[in-house]
Amino acid sequence: MQGFERFSSDFVRQYGLTHAQFDIIATLGNTCGMPYKELGQKTLITKGTLTGVIERLEQKGLVRRERCPHDKRSYSVRLSVEGEQVFHDVFPKLTRQGQQLFEGYTEDDFVRLENSLAGLKQAIANGHS
Amino acid sequence: MQGFERFSSDFVRQYGLTHAQFDIIATLGNTCGMPYKELGQKTLITKGTLTGVIERLEQKGLVRRERCPHDKRSYSVRLSVEGEQVFHDVFPKLTRQGQQLFEGYTEDDFVRLENSLAGLKQAIANGHS
DNA sequence: TATTGTTATACTCTATAACTATA
DNA sequence: TATAGTTATAGAGTATAACAATA
């Protein structure tokens, strides 16, 4: 875990993004936007912190905010065109970078790993709730 | 990964420790101390940051510093008696907490998971260097 | 001259609580 | 009254670079 954490966060930082910012972009990718509340629930970032993180992403032009027509207290946050570019640019690279890790893996290795991790993930999610 | 990260960091925070501080204690556990430089290499914390982290751990009385007799520029950082208590108190609990995640696992499940993860770990370490 | 650790700077994240504006 | 987001506050980690003491 620590190994991959370092591996990926070095990579992300090269794009001038922090872990939290990357988390937001990842969460917003392939969606049509969502309010702060939902974003906070998905990323586990509290609302006070979220204001700052979104602000910095907005300054970088990666994210846009629109007042929600139905509830004027709320915003809809979504990726800008540039934000989507980053999303579609960084993720495949990160994935590809990740792929190099698995050079020696056979199809069978993948299946075994995937099954193991799926079980582990579920166990963590259950123990966690 | 994210699931376990949250799981364990919630737990660690209950002891009033941050991730970085926990990392130091974990690294210092079962050793007779080491200088800042080595500590920084093992935890990937840069020296400037390390000064602050160690300082806070020293204020909490979990860590002690002694000038190295051989090289007067250098300190030897080691766990205090209380620091060792924390180490021996928190780690088994974290492990036990972790064990609950694996309630439904059979011996075979463990073997499979262990093999998969060992391979993954090595792949990450290699891709990482 | 090179290295160990310190200090200074500037930024980001973090939690928490008081606040505003809507609902 | 309750909720969505803001602001204020205080603390912690991060990188970087200039610095002092020692090697």
Side-chain angles (χ1 to χ4, degrees):
Chain A
M1 267 181 58
Q2 289 184 338
F4 190 79
E5 188 68 34
R6 284 164 199 161
F7 174 77
S8 67
S9 85
D10 282 357
F11 184 80
V12 167
R13 218 176 304 129
Q14 285 172 11
Y15 279 79
L17 294 173
T18 66
H19 184 68
Q21 290 169 14
F22 185 73
D23 222 12
I24 298 293
I25 290 185
T27 305
L28 247 30
N30 292 330
T31 76
C32 48
M34 62 186 77
Y36 278 62
K37 193 186 177 186
E38 194 177 340
L39 213 41
Q41 285 168 344
K42 293 198 173 173
T43 58
L44 294 190
I45 298 175
T46 53
K47 55 185 182 178
T49 306
L50 208 49
T51 300
V53 178
I54 298 294
E55 197 175 288
R56 285 179 280 275
L57 280 173
E58 202 181 14
Q59 279 171 3
K60 290 179 186 169
L62 300 177
V63 133
R64 276 180 15 211
R65 301 191 312 165
E66 286 159 8
R67 272 260 122 116
C68 172
H70 309 305
D71 185 339
K72 289 181 187 164
R73 295 171 302 181
S74 180
Y75 285 103
S76 182
V77 188
R78 50 190 279 186
L79 293 182
S80 67
V81 176
E82 285 155 332
E84 291 200 20
Q85 267 179 359
V86 169
F87 178 72
H88 287 112
D89 184 37
V90 174
F91 272 72
K93 279 188 185 164
L94 184 58
T95 311
R96 212 176 308 133
Q97 195 98 347
Q99 276 174 7
Q100 293 176 9
L101 300 179
F102 298 100
E103 256 178 298
Y105 275 56
T106 67
E107 195 61 31
D108 274 4
D109 289 334
F110 271 121
V111 172
R112 265 200 300 280
L113 180 59
E114 199 168 342
N115 288 337
S116 300
L117 289 183
L120 182 60
K121 184 179 172 183
Q122 195 169 8
I124 288 173
N126 292 338
H128 186 236
S129 61
Chain B
M1 266 181 60
Q2 289 184 339
F4 190 80
E5 187 69 32
R6 283 163 200 162
F7 175 76
S8 67
S9 84
D10 282 357
F11 185 80
V12 166
R13 219 176 303 129
Q14 284 171 14
Y15 279 79
L17 294 174
T18 66
H19 184 68
Q21 290 169 13
F22 186 73
D23 222 13
I24 298 293
I25 290 185
T27 306
L28 246 30
N30 291 330
T31 76
C32 49
M34 61 186 75
Y36 278 63
K37 192 186 179 187
E38 194 176 340
L39 213 40
Q41 285 168 342
K42 293 198 175 175
T43 58
L44 294 191
I45 299 176
T46 52
K47 55 186 182 178
T49 306
L50 209 48
T51 300
V53 177
I54 298 294
E55 197 175 288
R56 285 179 280 274
L57 280 173
E58 203 180 13
Q59 280 171 2
K60 290 179 186 170
L62 299 177
V63 133
R64 277 177 18 210
R65 302 190 311 165
E66 287 159 7
R67 276 273 173 208
C68 173
H70 309 304
D71 185 339
K72 289 182 187 164
R73 295 170 302 181
S74 180
Y75 284 102
S76 181
V77 187
R78 51 190 278 187
L79 293 183
S80 67
V81 177
E82 285 155 331
E84 291 198 20
Q85 266 179 359
V86 170
F87 178 70
H88 287 112
D89 185 37
V90 175
F91 272 72
K93 279 187 186 164
L94 184 59
T95 311
R96 214 175 307 135
Q97 196 98 345
Q99 277 175 7
Q100 293 175 9
L101 301 178
F102 298 100
E103 257 179 298
Y105 275 56
T106 68
E107 195 61 32
D108 274 5
D109 289 335
F110 271 120
V111 172
R112 265 200 300 281
L113 180 58
E114 199 168 343
N115 287 337
S116 298
L117 289 183
L120 182 60
K121 183 179 172 185
Q122 196 171 8
I124 289 172
N126 291 339
H128 186 235
S129 63

